[in-house]
CSV table of all heavy atoms in Angstrom, one decimal:
chain,number,residue,atom,x,y,z
I,811,THR,N,-6.6,5.2,10.1
I,811,THR,CA,-6.6,3.8,10.5
I,811,THR,C,-6.5,2.9,9.3
I,811,THR,O,-5.7,1.9,9.3
I,811,THR,CB,-7.9,3.5,11.3
I,811,THR,OG1,-8.0,4.3,12.4
I,811,THR,CG2,-7.9,2.0,11.8
I,812,THR,N,-7.2,3.1,8.3
I,812,THR,CA,-7.2,2.3,7.1
I,812,THR,C,-5.8,2.4,6.4
I,812,THR,O,-5.3,1.4,6.0
I,812,THR,CB,-8.3,2.8,6.1
I,812,THR,OG1,-9.5,2.7,6.7
I,812,THR,CG2,-8.3,1.9,4.8
I,813,TYR,N,-5.3,3.6,6.3
I,813,TYR,CA,-3.9,3.8,5.8
I,813,TYR,C,-2.9,3.0,6.5
I,813,TYR,O,-2.1,2.2,5.9
I,813,TYR,CB,-3.6,5.3,6.0
I,813,TYR,CG,-2.4,5.9,5.3
I,813,TYR,CD1,-2.4,7.2,4.8
I,813,TYR,CD2,-1.2,5.2,5.2
I,813,TYR,CE1,-1.3,7.8,4.2
I,813,TYR,CE2,-0.1,5.7,4.6
I,813,TYR,CZ,-0.2,7.0,4.1
I,813,TYR,OH,1.0,7.6,3.6
I,814,ILE,N,-2.9,3.0,7.8
I,814,ILE,CA,-1.9,2.3,8.6
I,814,ILE,C,-2.1,0.8,8.5
I,814,ILE,O,-1.2,0.0,8.4
I,814,ILE,CB,-1.9,2.7,10.1
I,814,ILE,CG1,-1.5,4.2,10.2
I,814,ILE,CG2,-1.0,1.9,10.9
I,814,ILE,CD1,-1.7,4.8,11.6
I,815,ARG,N,-3.4,0.3,8.5
I,815,ARG,CA,-3.7,-1.1,8.5
I,815,ARG,C,-3.1,-1.7,7.2
I,815,ARG,O,-2.5,-2.8,7.2
I,815,ARG,CB,-5.2,-1.3,8.5
I,815,ARG,CG,-5.5,-2.8,8.3
I,815,ARG,CD,-7.1,-3.0,8.5
I,815,ARG,NE,-7.9,-2.2,7.7
I,815,ARG,CZ,-8.0,-2.3,6.3
I,815,ARG,NH1,-7.5,-3.4,5.7
I,815,ARG,NH2,-8.8,-1.5,5.6
I,816,LYS,N,-3.2,-1.0,6.1
I,816,LYS,CA,-2.6,-1.5,4.8
I,816,LYS,C,-1.1,-1.6,4.9
I,816,LYS,O,-0.5,-2.5,4.3
I,816,LYS,CB,-3.1,-0.6,3.7
I,816,LYS,CG,-4.6,-0.8,3.4
I,816,LYS,CD,-5.0,0.2,2.3
I,816,LYS,CE,-6.5,0.0,2.0
I,816,LYS,NZ,-7.0,1.0,1.0
I,817,LEU,N,-0.5,-0.6,5.6
I,817,LEU,CA,1.0,-0.7,5.7
I,817,LEU,C,1.4,-1.8,6.6
I,817,LEU,O,2.5,-2.4,6.4
I,817,LEU,CB,1.5,0.6,6.3
I,817,LEU,CG,1.3,1.9,5.5
I,817,LEU,CD1,1.9,3.1,6.2
I,817,LEU,CD2,2.1,1.8,4.1
I,818,VAL,N,0.6,-2.2,7.6
I,818,VAL,CA,0.9,-3.4,8.3
I,818,VAL,C,0.8,-4.7,7.5
I,818,VAL,O,1.6,-5.6,7.6
I,818,VAL,CB,0.0,-3.5,9.6
I,818,VAL,CG1,0.2,-4.8,10.4
I,818,VAL,CG2,0.3,-2.3,10.5
I,819,GLU,N,-0.3,-4.7,6.7
I,819,GLU,CA,-0.5,-5.8,5.8
I,819,GLU,C,0.6,-6.0,4.7
I,819,GLU,O,0.9,-7.1,4.4
I,819,GLU,CB,-1.9,-5.8,5.1
I,819,GLU,CG,-3.0,-5.8,6.1
I,819,GLU,CD,-4.4,-5.5,5.4
I,819,GLU,OE1,-4.4,-5.1,4.3
I,819,GLU,OE2,-5.4,-5.7,6.1
I,820,TYR,N,1.1,-4.9,4.3
I,820,TYR,CA,2.2,-4.9,3.2
I,820,TYR,C,3.4,-4.1,3.7
I,820,TYR,O,3.6,-3.0,3.4
I,820,TYR,CB,1.7,-4.3,1.9
I,820,TYR,CG,0.5,-5.0,1.3
I,820,TYR,CD1,-0.8,-4.5,1.5
I,820,TYR,CD2,0.6,-6.2,0.6
I,820,TYR,CE1,-1.9,-5.2,1.0
I,820,TYR,CE2,-0.4,-6.9,0.0
I,820,TYR,CZ,-1.7,-6.4,0.2
I,820,TYR,OH,-2.8,-7.0,-0.3
I,821,PRO,N,4.2,-4.8,4.6
I,821,PRO,CA,5.3,-4.0,5.3
I,821,PRO,C,6.4,-3.5,4.3
I,821,PRO,O,7.2,-2.7,4.7
I,821,PRO,CB,5.8,-5.1,6.2
I,821,PRO,CG,5.4,-6.4,5.7
I,821,PRO,CD,4.1,-6.2,5.0
I,822,GLU,N,6.4,-4.0,3.1
I,822,GLU,CA,7.4,-3.5,2.1
I,822,GLU,C,7.0,-2.1,1.5
I,822,GLU,O,7.9,-1.4,1.0
I,822,GLU,CB,7.5,-4.5,0.9
I,822,GLU,CG,8.0,-5.9,1.3
I,822,GLU,CD,6.8,-6.8,1.6
I,822,GLU,OE1,5.6,-6.3,1.6
I,822,GLU,OE2,7.1,-8.0,1.9
I,823,ALA,N,5.8,-1.7,1.7
I,823,ALA,CA,5.3,-0.5,1.0
I,823,ALA,C,5.3,0.7,1.9
I,823,ALA,O,5.3,0.6,3.1
I,823,ALA,CB,3.9,-0.7,0.6
I,824,LEU,N,5.4,1.9,1.2
I,824,LEU,CA,5.3,3.1,1.9
I,824,LEU,C,3.9,3.7,1.8
I,824,LEU,O,3.5,4.5,2.6
I,824,LEU,CB,6.3,4.2,1.2
I,824,LEU,CG,7.7,3.9,1.2
I,824,LEU,CD1,8.5,4.9,0.4
I,824,LEU,CD2,8.3,3.9,2.6
I,825,ARG,N,3.1,3.2,0.9
I,825,ARG,CA,1.8,3.6,0.7
I,825,ARG,C,1.0,2.6,-0.2
I,825,ARG,O,1.6,2.1,-1.1
I,825,ARG,CB,1.7,5.0,0.0
I,825,ARG,CG,0.3,5.6,-0.2
I,825,ARG,CD,-0.2,6.2,1.1
I,825,ARG,NE,-1.6,6.6,1.0
I,825,ARG,CZ,-2.0,7.8,0.6
I,825,ARG,NH1,-1.2,8.7,0.2
I,825,ARG,NH2,-3.3,8.1,0.6
I,826,ILE,N,-0.2,2.3,0.2
I,826,ILE,CA,-1.1,1.3,-0.5
I,826,ILE,C,-2.4,2.1,-0.8
I,826,ILE,O,-3.1,2.5,0.0
I,826,ILE,CB,-1.3,0.1,0.2
I,826,ILE,CG1,0.0,-0.8,0.4
I,826,ILE,CG2,-2.4,-0.8,-0.5
I,826,ILE,CD1,0.5,-1.4,-0.9
I,827,ILE,N,-2.7,2.2,-2.1
I,827,ILE,CA,-3.9,2.9,-2.5
I,827,ILE,C,-4.7,2.0,-3.5
I,827,ILE,O,-4.1,1.4,-4.4
I,827,ILE,CB,-3.6,4.2,-3.3
I,827,ILE,CG1,-2.8,5.1,-2.4
I,827,ILE,CG2,-4.8,4.9,-3.8
I,827,ILE,CD1,-2.2,6.4,-3.1
I,828,GLU,N,-6.0,1.8,-3.2
I,828,GLU,CA,-6.8,1.0,-4.0
I,828,GLU,C,-7.8,1.8,-4.9
I,828,GLU,O,-8.2,2.9,-4.5
I,828,GLU,CB,-7.6,0.0,-3.2
I,828,GLU,CG,-6.8,-1.0,-2.5
I,828,GLU,CD,-7.6,-2.0,-1.6
I,828,GLU,OE1,-8.8,-1.7,-1.4
I,828,GLU,OE2,-7.1,-3.0,-1.2
I,829,PHE,N,-8.0,1.3,-6.1
I,829,PHE,CA,-8.9,1.9,-7.1
I,829,PHE,C,-9.9,0.9,-7.6
I,829,PHE,O,-9.7,-0.3,-7.4
I,829,PHE,CB,-8.1,2.5,-8.3
I,829,PHE,CG,-7.2,3.7,-8.0
I,829,PHE,CD1,-5.9,3.5,-7.8
I,829,PHE,CD2,-7.7,4.9,-7.9
I,829,PHE,CE1,-5.0,4.5,-7.5
I,829,PHE,CE2,-6.9,6.0,-7.6
I,829,PHE,CZ,-5.6,5.8,-7.4
I,830,ALA,N,-11.0,1.4,-8.2
I,830,ALA,CA,-12.0,0.6,-8.9
I,830,ALA,C,-12.5,-0.5,-7.9
I,830,ALA,O,-12.4,-1.7,-8.3
I,830,ALA,CB,-11.4,0.0,-10.2
I,831,ASP,N,-13.0,-0.1,-6.8
I,831,ASP,CA,-13.5,-1.0,-5.8
I,831,ASP,C,-12.5,-2.1,-5.4
I,831,ASP,O,-12.9,-3.3,-5.2
I,831,ASP,CB,-14.8,-1.7,-6.4
I,831,ASP,CG,-15.9,-0.6,-6.6
I,831,ASP,OD1,-16.0,0.3,-5.8
I,831,ASP,OD2,-16.6,-0.8,-7.6
I,832,GLY,N,-11.3,-1.7,-5.3
I,832,GLY,CA,-10.2,-2.7,-4.8
I,832,GLY,C,-9.6,-3.5,-5.8
I,832,GLY,O,-8.8,-4.4,-5.5
I,833,ARG,N,-9.9,-3.4,-7.1
I,833,ARG,CA,-9.4,-4.3,-8.2
I,833,ARG,C,-8.0,-3.9,-8.6
I,833,ARG,O,-7.3,-4.7,-9.2
I,833,ARG,CB,-10.4,-4.3,-9.4
I,833,ARG,CG,-11.6,-5.2,-9.1
I,833,ARG,CD,-12.6,-5.1,-10.2
I,833,ARG,NE,-13.3,-3.8,-10.2
I,833,ARG,CZ,-14.2,-3.4,-11.1
I,833,ARG,NH1,-14.5,-4.2,-12.1
I,833,ARG,NH2,-14.8,-2.3,-11.0
I,834,VAL,N,-7.7,-2.6,-8.5
I,834,VAL,CA,-6.3,-2.1,-8.9
I,834,VAL,C,-5.7,-1.5,-7.7
I,834,VAL,O,-6.3,-0.8,-6.9
I,834,VAL,CB,-6.5,-1.1,-10.0
I,834,VAL,CG1,-5.1,-0.6,-10.5
I,834,VAL,CG2,-7.2,-1.7,-11.2
I,835,THR,N,-4.4,-1.7,-7.5
I,835,THR,CA,-3.6,-1.2,-6.4
I,835,THR,C,-2.4,-0.4,-6.9
I,835,THR,O,-1.7,-0.9,-7.7
I,835,THR,CB,-3.2,-2.3,-5.4
I,835,THR,OG1,-4.4,-2.9,-4.8
I,835,THR,CG2,-2.3,-1.7,-4.3
I,836,LEU,N,-2.2,0.8,-6.3
I,836,LEU,CA,-1.1,1.6,-6.5
I,836,LEU,C,-0.2,1.5,-5.2
I,836,LEU,O,-0.7,1.9,-4.2
I,836,LEU,CB,-1.4,3.0,-6.8
I,836,LEU,CG,-0.3,4.0,-7.0
I,836,LEU,CD1,0.5,3.7,-8.2
I,836,LEU,CD2,-0.8,5.5,-7.0
I,837,ALA,N,1.0,1.1,-5.4
I,837,ALA,CA,1.9,1.0,-4.2
I,837,ALA,C,3.1,1.9,-4.3
I,837,ALA,O,3.7,2.0,-5.4
I,837,ALA,CB,2.4,-0.5,-4.1
I,838,GLY,N,3.4,2.6,-3.3
I,838,GLY,CA,4.6,3.4,-3.2
I,838,GLY,C,5.6,2.5,-2.4
I,838,GLY,O,5.4,2.0,-1.4
I,839,VAL,N,6.8,2.4,-3.0
I,839,VAL,CA,7.8,1.6,-2.4
I,839,VAL,C,9.2,2.1,-2.6
I,839,VAL,O,9.5,2.8,-3.6
I,839,VAL,CB,7.7,0.1,-2.9
I,839,VAL,CG1,8.0,0.1,-4.4
I,839,VAL,CG2,8.7,-0.9,-2.2
I,840,ARG,N,10.1,1.9,-1.6
I,840,ARG,CA,11.5,2.4,-1.7
I,840,ARG,C,12.3,1.2,-2.3
I,840,ARG,O,12.3,0.1,-1.9
I,840,ARG,CB,12.0,2.7,-0.3
I,840,ARG,CG,13.4,3.3,-0.3
I,840,ARG,CD,13.4,4.7,-0.5
I,840,ARG,NE,12.7,5.4,0.5
I,840,ARG,CZ,12.2,6.7,0.4
I,840,ARG,NH1,12.5,7.3,-0.7
I,840,ARG,NH2,11.6,7.3,1.4
I,841,ALA,N,13.0,1.6,-3.4
I,841,ALA,CA,13.9,0.6,-4.0
I,841,ALA,C,15.2,0.4,-3.3
I,841,ALA,O,15.9,1.4,-3.1
I,841,ALA,CB,14.2,1.0,-5.5
I,842,TYR,N,15.4,-0.7,-2.8
I,842,TYR,CA,16.6,-1.0,-2.0
I,842,TYR,C,17.6,-1.8,-2.8
I,842,TYR,O,17.3,-2.6,-3.7
I,842,TYR,CB,16.2,-1.8,-0.7
I,842,TYR,CG,15.6,-0.9,0.4
I,842,TYR,CD1,14.2,-0.9,0.5
I,842,TYR,CD2,16.4,-0.2,1.2
I,842,TYR,CE1,13.6,-0.1,1.4
I,842,TYR,CE2,15.7,0.7,2.2
I,842,TYR,CZ,14.4,0.7,2.3
I,842,TYR,OH,13.8,1.5,3.2
I,843,ALA,N,18.9,-1.6,-2.4
I,843,ALA,CA,20.0,-2.3,-3.1
I,843,ALA,C,19.7,-3.9,-2.8
I,843,ALA,O,19.3,-4.3,-1.7
I,843,ALA,CB,21.3,-2.0,-2.4
I,844,GLY,N,19.8,-4.6,-3.9
I,844,GLY,CA,19.6,-6.0,-3.8
I,844,GLY,C,18.2,-6.4,-4.4
I,844,GLY,O,18.0,-7.6,-4.7
C-alpha cells in the first residue's frame, strides 16, 4: 500500500524509496525522449 501510494503521489517515478527518516529519497525513473 505504501509503495503504491508513493507512485500515485509521484506519477513520473517507477519507485520511490525514502531513507534517514524521510530526509533523503531515491527515485527510479524511466528516461524518456524529450
Side-chain angles (χ1 to χ4, degrees):
T811 301
T812 302
Y813 189 145
I814 297 173
R815 176 176 53 78
K816 291 177 180 177
L817 293 179
V818 174
E819 293 172 354
Y820 300 100
E822 300 90 355
L824 300 171
R825 182 78 189 269
I826 294 289
I827 299 169
E828 294 181 346
F829 293 97
D831 297 323
R833 283 173 286 179
V834 181
T835 294
L836 176 67
V839 63
R840 186 82 62 196
Y842 284 97

